[in-house]
Amino acid sequence: MKEEPNVEFLQIVEQSELPPGERLFVEVEGVPIVLFNVGGEFYAIGDVCTHDDGPLGEGELDGYCIRCPRHGAKFDIRNGKALTLPAVEDTLSFPVRVVNGWIELGFPRKS
């Protein structure tokens, strides 16, 4: 497993609690995050549409693309990239790893 020196990982949930095809909403230090299991791979993005701060995680997921339920902006859950208008800014994206059966999210290390 590659170490990321500027990232601190926090345990979020046991892997068994997030089966394939499901999503989980969490908040870490005031940041709303949605965690996805797509075919056994885990991805995490900010639960905020950058177009209007809407609840991005409630949108329809098609492969790796999530569509904001408010105005239809699409984002790639693998990296948070904005794919279509009306969003022009990417949403947050977090590194995810599984250690000893726990899903962990990475956050910038505090100095």
Side-chain angles (χ1 to χ4, degrees):
M1 177 180 321
K2 182 183 169 202
E3 283 298 314
E4 298 182 47
N6 298 323
V7 175
E8 176 181 0
F9 282 87
L10 302 174
Q11 279 187 346
I12 301 299
V13 66
E14 288 187 69
Q15 183 178 0
S16 62
E17 296 295 314
L18 187 59
E22 296 295 321
R23 64 187 84 179
L24 177 70
F25 296 88
V26 297
E27 188 171 306
V28 178
E29 295 185 3
V31 178
I33 299 167
V34 60
L35 179 63
F36 299 91
N37 181 339
V38 178
E41 296 291 324
F42 298 97
Y43 305 95
I45 59 172
D47 184 24
V48 177
C49 177
T50 57
H51 165 244
D52 71 350
D53 296 331
L56 184 56
E58 294 177 10
E60 180 181 330
L61 185 64
D62 183 13
Y64 299 108
C65 179
I66 191 160
R67 186 174 66 82
C68 179
R70 285 193 183 170
H71 300 107
K74 294 180 182 178
F75 296 83
D76 189 325
I77 65 167
R78 296 172 294 187
N79 54 25
K81 296 283 183 204
L83 302 173
T84 64
L85 295 173
V88 294
E89 266 184 63
D90 301 340
T91 193
L92 294 174
S93 177
F94 301 89
V96 181
R97 69 183 187 185
V98 177
V99 176
N100 297 324
W102 282 85
I103 299 171
E104 298 183 346
L105 293 183
F107 297 88
R109 190 176 301 279
K110 295 177 182 172
S111 33

